[in-house]
Each structure stands twice: as C-alpha cells, then as structure tokens.
Amino acid sequence: MTTPLRIAAGEHPPETILEALRDGRRVVITTRALGESHDVTLRVVDGTYYCDTPTRLHRHETLAEMRACIRKMGYAKSDTTDSVGSSGDAESTDLDSDDED
C-alpha cells in the first residue's frame, strides 16, 4: 500500500488532493473543529469516493461530488481556479454536514 498524503486543511488546491486519490493514495487531512484537531481520511474504493470523519462516513459516487465535498468542507485552498467551476459552495470546517452518506 502506498503512503498516505498527510496535509492540513486548506494547504493544497482541490486538484492536488484529487490527483493523489486518482493515484490510489489515501489523503489524511488534519482539520480543526471546536478548538480541537481531527483527522479526516479521503479514499477511493472501486470507483466510490469516501470521506471518513470522526463522526460520519460520507460516500460520493462521482468525482464532481467529491470535489464539491472537498470545497464545502474547507479541505482545499479556497482561492483555487481549477478547471471545473464551483457553484459557490460555502466552506466549513464542521465535521457533520448535510452531504449524502
């Protein structure tokens, strides 16, 4: 198994995170919520994207859904201009969201 990419929330643009996932790597993102650090693990299994948070497991069927989650949750740099446009998703470091499971 390859070594996971370990980063802090907001450290890299979405495409860097998605590229690591496409390469078969897990991405471990350290985020802060309510004054404490938490790790979130992003991974791909059989074409399905997963976000493992301390409180929930989010599942995304498409790359576009995963990109939207990464932006919404604030895991990537917010000032990015990657090739797929954003719909202006609000960013949040809240670990519980209304994303589909």
Side-chain angles (χ1 to χ4, degrees):
M1 183 197 274
T2 60
T3 304
L5 173 63
R6 292 187 166 277
I7 61 174
E11 185 177 356
H12 293 284
E15 286 309 314
T16 300
I17 296 168
L18 294 170
E19 182 179 325
L21 293 172
R22 283 190 294 264
D23 289 344
R25 295 178 74 185
R26 290 178 185 238
V27 179
V28 179
I29 302 173
T30 301
T31 118
R32 293 202 48 90
L34 303 173
E36 294 190 25
S37 292
H38 301 277
D39 284 343
V40 173
T41 302
L42 309 181
R43 59 193 171 93
V44 180
V45 177
D46 296 329
T48 301
Y49 297 85
Y50 295 94
C51 299
D52 295 318
T53 75
T55 58
R56 292 183 68 188
L57 172 63
H58 301 262
R59 191 175 110 186
H60 307 286
E61 298 298 327
T62 67
L63 181 65
E65 288 176 8
M66 184 61 152
R67 181 181 282 112
C69 178
I70 288 169
R71 285 185 172 142
K72 178 180 179 182
M73 299 307 294
Y75 299 150
K77 281 185 180 178
S78 61
D79 59 343
T80 185
T81 56
D82 58 308
S83 61
V84 176
S86 170
S87 61
D89 291 335
E91 291 186 6
S92 169
T93 55
D94 182 20
L95 295 175
D96 286 326
S97 74
D98 292 313
D99 288 348
E100 67 181 58
D101 290 331

